[in-house]
Every structure is written in C-alpha cells, then in structure tokens.
Amino acid sequence: MTPARHHLVWDWNGTLLDDLDLVVQATNVAFASAGGPAVTADEHRVRFRRPVADYYAEMLGRAMDDEAYGRLDRIFHDAYRAGLTSCALAADATAAIAAWPGSQSLLSMWFHDELVPTVHTYGLTPHFARVDGLRSAVGGGSKAEWLEKHLAELGLAGGEVALIGDSLDDADAATSVGARCVLYTGGISDPARLRASGHPTADTLTEAVTLARTLP
C-alpha cells in the first residue's frame, strides 16, 4: 500500500552513510589547526548543531567570522575526503531503501559535485529520482532552503513528502516545507536530544521507513 506521503527524501551523511567516526576525526583535525580541544564521538553528538560556525565558536571559545570559519571548513573537508573510502553504508541502508513503496530521492548538505559520484560508487543512484547536494563553496548552513529547492525540482509539495535524517536540522527543514520527518538515532546527533524533540525517532533505518509509511 502506498503511504499517505508517497515520496521519501533521504539524508546522506550520518543516515545512509555511516560516517560518524570520520566526521569526528575530521572535526578534530580542524580544531587542532586552531589550537582547540579534541572531541569524542559522544561529545560531538551532544554539542554539534547548525550553523556549524556556531558549534565551532562554542568549542573553540571564540567568535567565528566568515574567513575563520571558511578556513576550518576547508580543513575539515580535506580531512573528510582523505578518509571517505573507509566509510560503509549503514548496516540496513539497502534494506530500508527497498522497503519504501513510493518514490525516493536524496538530499545532502555535502558538496553536490562530490556527492553524486560517491552515491553512484555505493550503487544507490538507480533508487533515487533525484540526488542533490550543496551547491555552495562553504558548508555548514541550514538544510531548509535546499529542501525547498529539491522538492521544487521534483514537482512535489511538502504534504506529499516524508524525510529521514539524523539531525534536528533535518526535522526543521521538513517542518519548514510542510513535510514530516523521522529522526534516525544512529548518526551525528545525541539520541536523547532527538527523542526529546517530539518527532518520531527510530534506532534503525528499516524502523524509520516503517514509521515514515504511517505518517499522516
């Protein structure tokens, strides 16, 4: 049976792609370049937020202007790219994709020109009506405006759409366009914070799809 919201938008980093350890490693490279502290995965999950410049400012104990943040963002992404081949998909990613009965697409806040060939490398491209990443030189902002553009390109209204992601920014983006979001606890965010948000939460991607199929 087709769910009430027939289209599913997937997040990539921390959701379909299990890259938490690499993100923490790359974050620590960026922090070390600025004389900052090293963070553990648990600390990162509790404190990370968007805009990422605000997270960096808190962790480094000083304000981040565009130039300072841009430099750290480049250092982060260079370190991230260097380790990307070590990342696998989430354990049940392919099963979860197969479990959705409607159309699907992927929207990431990772750079578009790198995202598209990476998704292809994992063999997932045929499953998605559209794959969109960040079309900007510097990352770290909100997903909301990019989700609006993504749905416009697909010709979809928010009321037709469910989203699965691993951060409150995913949920905020979904709410901004009238979509619904299921939050996955296995990614970048502290599970307790996700559960406290009031949005449906799931500990596996297959459970997330099951919940998404029931969203009004």
Side-chain angles (χ1 to χ4, degrees):
M1 185 178 74
T2 302
R5 294 173 180 267
H6 62 85
H7 184 83
L8 179 62
V9 178
W10 287 98
D11 175 55
W12 178 241
N13 304 95
T15 303
L16 290 175
L17 185 68
D18 182 13
D19 65 351
L20 174 63
D21 289 344
L22 177 58
V23 167
V24 174
Q25 176 186 326
T27 298
N28 281 329
V29 171
F31 285 173
S33 75
V39 295
T40 66
D42 286 343
E43 288 171 328
H44 186 77
R45 295 179 96 199
V46 168
R47 303 180 76 167
F48 178 81
R49 64 185 186 278
R50 290 183 180 272
V52 178
D54 290 353
Y55 168 57
Y56 282 10
E58 177 189 333
M59 296 303 295
L60 296 173
R62 57 181 179 272
M64 280 279 120
D65 60 21
D66 290 347
E67 181 180 355
Y69 173 68
R71 185 179 71 82
L72 292 178
D73 188 64
R74 287 189 294 274
I75 292 169
F76 168 87
H77 280 102
D78 285 346
Y80 182 89
R81 290 180 191 103
L84 185 58
T85 56
S86 68
C87 290
L89 296 175
D92 61 343
T94 53
I97 290 170
W100 179 259
S103 57
Q104 302 178 67
S105 61
L106 189 150
L107 175 64
S108 172
M109 296 299 285
W110 191 34
F111 299 119
H112 182 79
D113 290 346
E114 297 177 68
L115 171 72
V116 171
T118 300
V119 172
H120 180 75
T121 296
Y122 287 93
L124 299 182
T125 305
H127 298 286
F128 301 126
R130 187 174 181 91
V131 174
D132 279 321
L134 184 66
R135 290 172 169 85
S136 176
V138 178
S142 168
K143 198 170 198 170
E145 66 172 300
W146 301 100
L147 179 59
E148 183 178 359
K149 293 174 182 176
H150 182 74
L151 297 186
E153 292 289 346
L154 289 164
L156 293 170
E160 302 173 86
V161 173
L163 188 150
I164 295 175
D166 67 326
S167 74
L168 294 179
D169 184 61
D170 290 307
D172 291 343
T175 300
S176 76
V177 298
R180 294 287 306 277
C181 185
V182 178
L183 292 169
Y184 168 59
T185 63
I188 193 104
S189 301
D190 175 43
R193 186 164 50 156
L194 298 183
R195 294 188 184 104
S197 71
H199 295 278
T201 60
D203 294 331
T204 67
L205 294 181
T206 47
E207 181 189 355
V209 169
T210 298
L211 288 173
R213 293 178 67 164
T214 68
L215 292 172

